[in-house]
Coordinates of all heavy atoms in Angstrom, one line a residue:
M481 N -60.5 4.5 2.3 CA -61.8 4.0 2.1 C -62.2 3.2 3.3 O -61.4 2.5 3.9 CB -61.8 3.0 0.9 CG -62.0 3.7 -0.4 SD -62.1 2.7 -1.9 CE -62.5 1.1 -1.4
L482 N -63.5 3.4 3.6 CA -64.1 2.7 4.8 C -65.4 2.1 4.4 O -66.1 2.6 3.4 CB -64.3 3.7 5.9 CG -63.1 4.4 6.4 CD1 -63.5 5.7 7.2 CD2 -62.3 3.5 7.3
S483 N -65.9 1.2 5.2 CA -67.3 0.7 5.0 C -68.1 1.1 6.2 O -67.6 0.8 7.4 CB -67.3 -0.9 5.0 OG -66.6 -1.3 3.8
V484 N -69.2 1.8 6.0 CA -70.0 2.3 7.1 C -71.5 2.1 6.8 O -71.8 2.0 5.6 CB -69.7 3.7 7.5 CG1 -68.3 3.9 8.0 CG2 -70.0 4.7 6.4
S485 N -72.3 2.2 7.8 CA -73.7 2.2 7.6 C -74.1 3.6 7.1 O -73.6 4.6 7.6 CB -74.5 1.9 8.9 OG -75.8 2.3 8.8
K486 N -75.1 3.7 6.2 CA -75.5 5.0 5.7 C -76.1 5.8 6.9 O -76.0 7.1 6.8 CB -76.6 4.8 4.7 CG -76.1 4.5 3.3 CD -77.3 4.5 2.3 CE -76.8 4.3 0.9 NZ -77.9 4.3 -0.1
R487 N -76.6 5.2 7.9 CA -77.1 5.9 9.1 C -76.0 6.8 9.7 O -76.3 7.8 10.2 CB -77.6 4.9 10.1 CG -78.5 5.5 11.1 CD -79.3 4.5 11.9 NE -80.1 3.6 11.1 CZ -81.3 3.9 10.6 NH1 -81.8 5.1 10.8 NH2 -82.0 3.0 9.9
K488 N -74.7 6.4 9.6 CA -73.6 7.2 10.2 C -73.5 8.5 9.4 O -72.9 9.4 10.0 CB -72.3 6.4 10.1 CG -72.3 5.1 10.8 CD -71.8 5.3 12.2 CE -71.7 3.9 12.9 NZ -71.4 4.0 14.3
L489 N -74.0 8.5 8.2 CA -73.9 9.8 7.4 C -75.2 10.6 7.5 O -75.3 11.6 6.8 CB -73.6 9.4 6.0 CG -72.3 8.6 5.7 CD1 -72.2 8.2 4.3 CD2 -71.1 9.5 6.1
G490 N -76.1 10.1 8.4 CA -77.4 10.9 8.5 C -78.5 10.4 7.5 O -79.5 11.1 7.4
I491 N -78.3 9.3 6.9 CA -79.2 8.7 5.9 C -80.0 7.6 6.7 O -79.4 6.8 7.3 CB -78.5 8.2 4.7 CG1 -77.7 9.3 4.0 CG2 -79.5 7.6 3.7 CD1 -76.8 8.7 3.0
S492 N -81.3 7.6 6.6 CA -82.1 6.6 7.3 C -82.1 5.3 6.6 O -83.1 4.9 6.0 CB -83.5 7.1 7.5 OG -84.1 7.4 6.3
S493 N -81.0 4.6 6.7 CA -80.8 3.3 6.1 C -79.6 2.6 6.8 O -78.7 3.3 7.2 CB -80.5 3.4 4.6 OG -80.1 2.1 4.1
D494 N -79.7 1.3 7.0 CA -78.6 0.6 7.6 C -77.7 -0.1 6.6 O -76.9 -0.9 6.9 CB -79.2 -0.5 8.6 CG -79.8 0.2 9.9 OD1 -79.2 1.1 10.4 OD2 -80.8 -0.3 10.3
E495 N -78.0 0.2 5.3 CA -77.2 -0.3 4.3 C -75.7 0.0 4.5 O -75.4 1.2 4.8 CB -77.7 0.2 2.9 CG -76.8 -0.3 1.7 CD -77.3 0.4 0.4 OE1 -78.2 1.2 0.4 OE2 -76.6 0.1 -0.6
I496 N -74.8 -0.9 4.3 CA -73.4 -0.7 4.4 C -72.9 -0.2 3.1 O -73.1 -0.8 2.0 CB -72.6 -2.0 4.9 CG1 -73.2 -2.5 6.2 CG2 -71.1 -1.7 4.9 CD1 -73.0 -1.5 7.4
V497 N -72.1 0.9 3.1 CA -71.6 1.4 1.8 C -70.1 1.7 2.0 O -69.6 1.9 3.1 CB -72.3 2.7 1.4 CG1 -73.7 2.4 1.0 CG2 -72.3 3.8 2.5
E498 N -69.4 1.8 0.9 CA -68.0 2.2 0.9 C -68.0 3.7 0.8 O -68.7 4.3 0.0 CB -67.3 1.6 -0.3 CG -67.2 0.1 -0.3 CD -66.3 -0.5 0.8 OE1 -65.2 0.1 1.0 OE2 -66.7 -1.5 1.4
I499 N -67.1 4.4 1.6 CA -67.0 5.8 1.5 C -65.5 6.2 1.4 O -64.6 5.4 1.6 CB -67.6 6.5 2.8 CG1 -66.8 6.1 4.1 CG2 -69.1 6.2 2.9 CD1 -67.1 6.9 5.3
L500 N -65.4 7.5 1.0 CA -64.0 8.0 0.8 C -64.1 9.4 1.5 O -65.0 10.2 1.2 CB -63.7 8.2 -0.6 CG -62.3 8.7 -1.0 CD1 -61.2 7.8 -0.5 CD2 -62.2 8.9 -2.5
D501 N -63.2 9.7 2.4 CA -63.1 11.0 3.1 C -62.0 11.8 2.4 O -60.9 11.3 2.1 CB -62.7 10.8 4.5 CG -63.8 10.3 5.4 OD1 -65.0 10.7 5.1 OD2 -63.6 9.6 6.4
L502 N -62.3 13.0 2.0 CA -61.4 13.9 1.3 C -61.2 15.2 2.1 O -62.2 15.7 2.7 CB -61.9 14.2 -0.1 CG -62.1 13.0 -1.0 CD1 -62.8 13.4 -2.2 CD2 -60.7 12.5 -1.4
R503 N -60.0 15.7 2.1 CA -59.7 16.9 2.9 C -59.6 18.1 1.9 O -59.1 18.0 0.8 CB -58.4 16.8 3.6 CG -58.1 17.9 4.5 CD -56.8 17.7 5.3 NE -56.6 18.6 6.4 CZ -56.3 19.8 6.4 NH1 -56.2 20.5 5.2 NH2 -56.2 20.5 7.5
N504 N -60.1 19.3 2.3 CA -59.9 20.5 1.5 C -60.0 21.7 2.5 O -60.1 21.5 3.7 CB -61.0 20.5 0.5 CG -60.5 21.2 -0.8 OD1 -59.9 22.2 -0.8 ND2 -60.8 20.5 -1.9
S505 N -60.0 22.9 1.9 CA -60.1 24.1 2.7 C -61.5 24.2 3.3 O -62.5 23.6 2.8 CB -59.8 25.3 1.8 OG -60.9 25.5 0.9
F506 N -61.6 24.9 4.4 CA -62.9 25.2 5.0 C -63.9 25.7 4.0 O -65.0 25.3 4.0 CB -62.7 26.1 6.2 CG -64.0 26.6 6.7 CD1 -64.8 25.8 7.5 CD2 -64.4 28.0 6.5 CE1 -66.0 26.3 8.0 CE2 -65.6 28.4 7.0 CZ -66.4 27.6 7.8
E507 N -63.5 26.7 3.2 CA -64.4 27.3 2.2 C -64.9 26.3 1.2 O -66.1 26.3 0.9 CB -63.7 28.5 1.5 CG -63.3 29.6 2.4 CD -62.0 29.4 3.2 OE1 -61.2 28.4 2.9 OE2 -61.8 30.2 4.1
K508 N -64.1 25.5 0.7 CA -64.5 24.5 -0.3 C -65.4 23.5 0.4 O -66.5 23.1 -0.2 CB -63.2 23.8 -0.9 CG -63.5 22.7 -1.8 CD -64.2 23.1 -3.1 CE -64.4 21.9 -4.0 NZ -65.2 22.3 -5.2
V509 N -65.1 23.0 1.5 CA -65.9 22.0 2.2 C -67.3 22.6 2.5 O -68.3 22.0 2.3 CB -65.3 21.5 3.5 CG1 -66.2 20.6 4.3 CG2 -64.0 20.7 3.2
E510 N -67.3 23.8 3.0 CA -68.6 24.5 3.3 C -69.5 24.6 2.0 O -70.7 24.5 2.1 CB -68.3 25.9 3.8 CG -69.5 26.6 4.4 CD -69.1 28.0 5.0 OE1 -68.4 28.8 4.4 OE2 -69.5 28.2 6.1
K511 N -68.9 24.8 0.9 CA -69.6 24.9 -0.4 C -70.1 23.6 -0.9 O -71.2 23.5 -1.5 CB -68.8 25.7 -1.4 CG -68.6 27.1 -1.2 CD -67.7 27.7 -2.3 CE -67.4 29.2 -1.9 NZ -66.5 29.8 -2.9
I512 N -69.3 22.6 -0.8 CA -69.6 21.3 -1.4 C -70.5 20.4 -0.7 O -71.3 19.7 -1.2 CB -68.3 20.5 -1.8 CG1 -68.5 19.5 -2.9 CG2 -67.7 19.9 -0.6 CD1 -67.3 18.9 -3.5
V513 N -70.5 20.5 0.7 CA -71.4 19.6 1.5 C -72.8 19.9 1.3 O -73.3 21.0 1.6 CB -71.0 19.6 3.0 CG1 -72.0 18.9 3.8 CG2 -69.6 19.0 3.2
D514 N -73.6 19.0 0.7 CA -75.0 19.2 0.4 C -75.9 18.1 1.0 O -77.1 18.2 0.9 CB -75.2 19.2 -1.1 CG -74.9 17.9 -1.8 OD1 -74.5 16.9 -1.1 OD2 -74.9 17.9 -3.0
H515 N -75.3 17.2 1.7 CA -76.1 16.1 2.4 C -76.9 15.2 1.4 O -77.8 14.5 1.8 CB -77.0 16.6 3.5 CG -76.2 17.3 4.6 ND1 -75.7 16.6 5.6 CD2 -75.9 18.6 4.8 CE1 -75.1 17.4 6.4 NE2 -75.2 18.6 5.9
K516 N -76.5 15.3 0.1 CA -77.1 14.5 -0.9 C -76.1 13.6 -1.7 O -76.3 12.5 -1.9 CB -77.9 15.4 -1.9 CG -79.1 16.1 -1.3 CD -79.8 17.0 -2.3 CE -80.9 17.7 -1.5 NZ -81.2 19.0 -2.2
K517 N -75.0 14.3 -2.1 CA -73.9 13.6 -2.7 C -72.6 13.7 -1.9 O -71.8 12.9 -1.9 CB -73.6 14.2 -4.1 CG -74.6 13.9 -5.1 CD -74.2 14.6 -6.4 CE -74.7 13.9 -7.6 NZ -74.2 14.5 -8.9
Y518 N -72.5 14.9 -1.2 CA -71.3 15.2 -0.4 C -71.8 15.4 1.1 O -72.7 16.1 1.3 CB -70.6 16.4 -0.9 CG -70.2 16.3 -2.3 CD1 -71.0 16.7 -3.4 CD2 -68.9 15.8 -2.6 CE1 -70.6 16.6 -4.7 CE2 -68.5 15.7 -3.9 CZ -69.3 16.1 -5.0 OH -68.9 16.0 -6.3
Y519 N -71.1 14.7 2.0 CA -71.5 14.7 3.4 C -70.4 15.2 4.3 O -69.2 15.1 3.8 CB -71.8 13.2 3.8 CG -73.0 12.7 3.0 CD1 -72.8 12.0 1.8 CD2 -74.3 12.8 3.5 CE1 -73.8 11.5 1.1 CE2 -75.4 12.3 2.7 CZ -75.1 11.7 1.5 OH -76.2 11.2 0.8
P520 N -70.7 15.7 5.4 CA -69.6 16.1 6.3 C -68.7 14.9 6.6 O -69.1 13.7 6.6 CB -70.4 16.5 7.6 CG -71.8 16.8 7.2 CD -72.0 15.9 6.0
G521 N -67.4 15.1 6.7 CA -66.4 14.1 6.9 C -66.8 13.1 8.1 O -67.0 13.6 9.2
W522 N -67.0 11.9 7.7 CA -67.3 10.9 8.7 C -66.1 10.6 9.5 O -65.0 10.2 9.0 CB -67.9 9.6 8.1 CG -68.3 8.7 9.2 CD1 -69.4 8.7 9.9 CD2 -67.6 7.5 9.6 NE1 -69.5 7.7 10.8 CE2 -68.3 7.0 10.7 CE3 -66.4 7.0 9.3 CZ2 -67.9 5.8 11.4 CZ3 -66.0 5.8 10.0 CH2 -66.8 5.3 11.0
H523 N -66.2 10.7 10.8 CA -65.1 10.4 11.8 C -63.9 11.3 11.6 O -62.8 10.9 11.9 CB -64.7 8.9 11.7 CG -64.2 8.3 12.9 ND1 -64.9 8.3 14.1 CD2 -62.9 7.8 13.1 CE1 -64.1 7.7 15.0 NE2 -62.9 7.4 14.5
M524 N -64.1 12.5 11.0 CA -63.0 13.4 10.7 C -63.5 14.8 11.2 O -64.7 15.0 11.5 CB -62.7 13.4 9.2 CG -62.4 12.1 8.6 SD -60.9 11.3 9.4 CE -59.6 12.1 8.5
N525 N -62.6 15.8 11.2 CA -62.9 17.1 11.5 C -63.8 17.7 10.3 O -63.3 17.8 9.2 CB -61.6 18.0 11.6 CG -61.9 19.4 11.9 OD1 -62.9 20.0 11.5 ND2 -60.9 20.0 12.6
K526 N -65.0 17.9 10.6 CA -66.0 18.3 9.6 C -65.7 19.6 9.0 O -66.3 20.0 8.0 CB -67.4 18.1 10.1 CG -67.8 16.7 10.3 CD -68.9 16.5 11.3 CE -69.3 15.0 11.5 NZ -68.2 14.1 11.8
K527 N -64.9 20.4 9.6 CA -64.5 21.7 9.0 C -63.7 21.6 7.8 O -63.8 22.4 6.9 CB -63.8 22.5 10.1 CG -63.4 23.9 9.7 CD -62.8 24.7 10.9 CE -62.5 26.1 10.5 NZ -62.0 26.9 11.6
Y528 N -62.8 20.6 7.7 CA -61.9 20.4 6.6 C -62.1 19.1 5.8 O -61.4 18.9 4.8 CB -60.4 20.4 7.2 CG -60.1 21.7 7.8 CD1 -60.0 21.8 9.2 CD2 -59.9 22.9 7.1 CE1 -59.7 23.0 9.8 CE2 -59.5 24.1 7.7 CZ -59.4 24.1 9.0 OH -59.1 25.3 9.6
W529 N -62.9 18.2 6.3 CA -63.1 17.0 5.6 C -64.6 16.8 5.1 O -65.5 17.2 5.8 CB -62.8 15.8 6.5 CG -61.3 15.7 6.9 CD1 -60.7 16.5 7.8 CD2 -60.3 14.9 6.2 NE1 -59.3 16.1 7.8 CE2 -59.1 15.2 6.9 CE3 -60.4 14.0 5.2 CZ2 -57.9 14.5 6.5 CZ3 -59.2 13.3 4.9 CH2 -58.0 13.6 5.5
Y530 N -64.7 16.1 4.0 CA -66.1 15.7 3.5 C -66.0 14.3 3.0 O -64.9 13.7 2.8 CB -66.6 16.7 2.4 CG -65.8 16.7 1.2 CD1 -66.2 16.0 0.1 CD2 -64.6 17.5 1.1 CE1 -65.4 16.1 -1.1 CE2 -63.9 17.6 -0.1 CZ -64.3 16.9 -1.2 OH -63.6 16.9 -2.4
T531 N -67.2 13.7 3.0 CA -67.3 12.3 2.6 C -68.1 12.1 1.4 O -69.1 12.8 1.2 CB -67.9 11.5 3.8 OG1 -67.1 11.6 5.0 CG2 -68.2 10.0 3.5
I532 N -67.7 11.2 0.5 CA -68.5 10.8 -0.6 C -68.7 9.3 -0.5 O -67.9 8.5 0.0 CB -67.8 11.1 -2.0 CG1 -66.5 10.5 -2.1 CG2 -67.8 12.6 -2.2 CD1 -65.8 10.7 -3.4
I533 N -69.9 8.9 -0.9 CA -70.3 7.4 -1.0 C -69.9 6.9 -2.3 O -70.2 7.5 -3.4 CB -71.8 7.2 -0.7 CG1 -72.2 7.8 0.6 CG2 -72.2 5.8 -0.8 CD1 -73.7 7.8 0.9
L534 N -69.2 5.8 -2.3 CA -68.7 5.2 -3.6 C -69.8 4.2 -4.1 O -69.6 3.0 -4.2 CB -67.4 4.5 -3.4 CG -66.3 5.4 -2.8 CD1 -65.0 4.6 -2.5 CD2 -66.0 6.5 -3.8
D535 N -70.9 4.8 -4.5 CA -72.1 3.9 -5.0 C -72.5 4.3 -6.4 O -73.5 3.9 -6.8 CB -73.2 4.1 -4.0 CG -73.8 5.5 -3.9 OD1 -73.3 6.4 -4.5 OD2 -74.9 5.6 -3.3
G536 N -71.7 5.2 -7.0 CA -72.1 5.6 -8.4 C -72.8 6.9 -8.4 O -73.1 7.5 -9.5
S537 N -73.2 7.5 -7.2 CA -74.0 8.7 -7.2 C -73.1 9.9 -7.6 O -73.6 10.9 -8.0 CB -74.5 9.0 -5.8 OG -73.5 9.0 -4.8
I538 N -71.8 9.7 -7.5 CA -70.8 10.7 -8.0 C -70.0 10.0 -9.1 O -69.4 8.9 -8.8 CB -69.9 11.3 -6.9 CG1 -70.8 11.9 -5.8 CG2 -68.9 12.2 -7.5 CD1 -70.0 12.4 -4.6
S539 N -69.9 10.6 -10.2 CA -69.1 9.9 -11.3 C -67.6 9.8 -10.9 O -67.1 10.6 -10.2 CB -69.3 10.7 -12.6 OG -68.5 11.9 -12.5
L540 N -67.0 8.8 -11.5 CA -65.6 8.5 -11.3 C -64.8 9.8 -11.7 O -63.8 10.2 -11.0 CB -65.2 7.3 -12.1 CG -63.8 6.7 -11.7 CD1 -63.7 6.5 -10.2 CD2 -63.6 5.5 -12.5
K541 N -65.2 10.4 -12.8 CA -64.6 11.6 -13.2 C -64.6 12.7 -12.2 O -63.6 13.4 -11.9 CB -65.2 12.2 -14.5 CG -64.7 13.4 -15.0 CD -65.4 13.9 -16.3 CE -64.9 15.3 -16.7 NZ -65.7 15.8 -17.8
D542 N -65.8 12.9 -11.5 CA -65.9 13.9 -10.5 C -65.1 13.5 -9.2 O -64.5 14.4 -8.6 CB -67.3 14.1 -10.1 CG -68.1 14.9 -11.1 OD1 -67.5 15.6 -11.9 OD2 -69.4 14.9 -11.1
I543 N -65.0 12.3 -8.9 CA -64.1 11.8 -7.8 C -62.7 12.2 -8.1 O -61.9 12.7 -7.3 CB -64.3 10.3 -7.5 CG1 -65.7 10.1 -7.0 CG2 -63.2 9.8 -6.5 CD1 -66.1 8.6 -6.9
Y544 N -62.2 11.8 -9.3 CA -60.8 12.2 -9.7 C -60.6 13.7 -9.6 O -59.5 14.1 -9.1 CB -60.6 11.7 -11.2 CG -60.4 10.2 -11.3 CD1 -60.7 9.6 -12.5 CD2 -59.9 9.4 -10.3 CE1 -60.6 8.3 -12.7 CE2 -59.7 8.1 -10.5 CZ -60.1 7.5 -11.7 OH -59.9 6.1 -11.9
I545 N -61.5 14.5 -10.1 CA -61.4 15.9 -10.0 C -61.3 16.4 -8.6 O -60.4 17.2 -8.2 CB -62.6 16.6 -10.7 CG1 -62.5 16.4 -12.2 CG2 -62.6 18.1 -10.4 CD1 -63.7 16.9 -13.0
N546 N -62.1 15.8 -7.7 CA -62.0 16.2 -6.3 C -60.7 15.8 -5.7 O -60.1 16.6 -4.9 CB -63.1 15.5 -5.5 CG -64.4 16.2 -5.5 OD1 -64.6 17.3 -5.0 ND2 -65.4 15.6 -6.3
V547 N -60.1 14.7 -6.0 CA -58.8 14.2 -5.5 C -57.7 15.1 -6.1 O -56.9 15.6 -5.4 CB -58.6 12.7 -5.8 CG1 -57.2 12.3 -5.5 CG2 -59.6 11.9 -5.0
L548 N -57.8 15.3 -7.4 CA -56.7 16.1 -8.0 C -56.7 17.5 -7.6 O -55.6 18.1 -7.5 CB -56.9 16.0 -9.6 CG -56.5 14.6 -10.2 CD1 -56.7 14.6 -11.7 CD2 -55.0 14.3 -9.9
M549 N -57.8 18.1 -7.3 CA -57.9 19.5 -6.9 C -57.0 19.6 -5.6 O -56.4 20.6 -5.4 CB -59.3 19.9 -6.6 CG -60.1 20.3 -7.8 SD -61.7 21.1 -7.3 CE -62.3 20.2 -5.9
R550 N -57.1 18.6 -4.8 CA -56.4 18.7 -3.5 C -54.9 18.4 -3.7 O -54.0 19.0 -3.1 CB -56.9 17.7 -2.5 CG -56.4 17.8 -1.2 CD -56.8 19.1 -0.6 NE -55.9 19.4 0.6 CZ -55.6 20.6 0.9 NH1 -56.0 21.6 0.3 NH2 -54.8 20.7 2.0
V551 N -54.5 17.5 -4.6 CA -53.1 17.2 -4.9 C -52.4 18.4 -5.6 O -51.3 18.7 -5.2 CB -53.0 15.9 -5.8 CG1 -51.6 15.7 -6.2 CG2 -53.6 14.7 -5.0
I552 N -53.1 19.0 -6.5 CA -52.5 20.1 -7.3 C -52.3 21.3 -6.5 O -51.4 22.1 -6.6 CB -53.3 20.3 -8.6 CG1 -53.2 19.2 -9.5 CG2 -52.8 21.6 -9.3 CD1 -54.1 19.2 -10.7
K553 N -53.2 21.6 -5.6 CA -53.2 22.8 -4.8 C -52.0 23.0 -4.0 O -51.2 22.5 -3.5 CB -54.4 22.8 -3.8 CG -54.6 24.1 -3.1 CD -55.9 24.0 -2.3 CE -56.1 25.3 -1.6 NZ -57.2 25.4 -0.7

């Protein structure tokens, strides 16, 4: 978990938010990144990493699913 400005994610705001970077296959990252809920991995290889903002825009259940998908794989 990191704290970054939304501007670092391409959002026009200086609000500081908590983020979580998650790793997955290139194919999965390419499908999931939508620049609305899922962002290219901040400060990571954007081919294999994506970022979510921990502000409630993604349910805790969906975050768990994203993390477990990677652990189970």
Side-chain angles (χ1 to χ4, degrees):
M481 275 184 17
L482 300 163
S483 297
V484 299
S485 165
K486 282 186 172 181
R487 196 167 304 282
K488 300 269 187 187
L489 301 173
I491 302 168
S492 58
S493 169
D494 289 320
E495 178 186 359
I496 302 297
V497 291
E498 298 290 322
I499 63 167
L500 182 64
D501 285 327
L502 298 168
R503 188 179 195 286
N504 215 312
S505 68
F506 168 72
E507 294 81 12
K508 175 67 176 170
V509 171
E510 189 176 48
K511 288 179 185 175
I512 199 168
V513 171
D514 61 6
H515 298 273
K516 295 177 184 157
K517 288 179 151 183
Y518 301 92
Y519 299 87
W522 183 77
H523 206 61
M524 304 299 277
N525 180 329
K526 290 161 182 45
K527 185 174 181 179
Y528 298 106
W529 292 83
Y530 62 100
T531 295
I532 56 176
I533 301 174
L534 302 175
D535 65 354
S537 60
I538 300 176
S539 71
L540 194 53
K541 178 183 174 184
D542 286 341
I543 292 171
Y544 286 149
I545 289 169
N546 278 289
V547 170
L548 287 176
M549 280 189 322
R550 189 64 198 148
V551 171
I552 293 171
K553 188 175 180 185

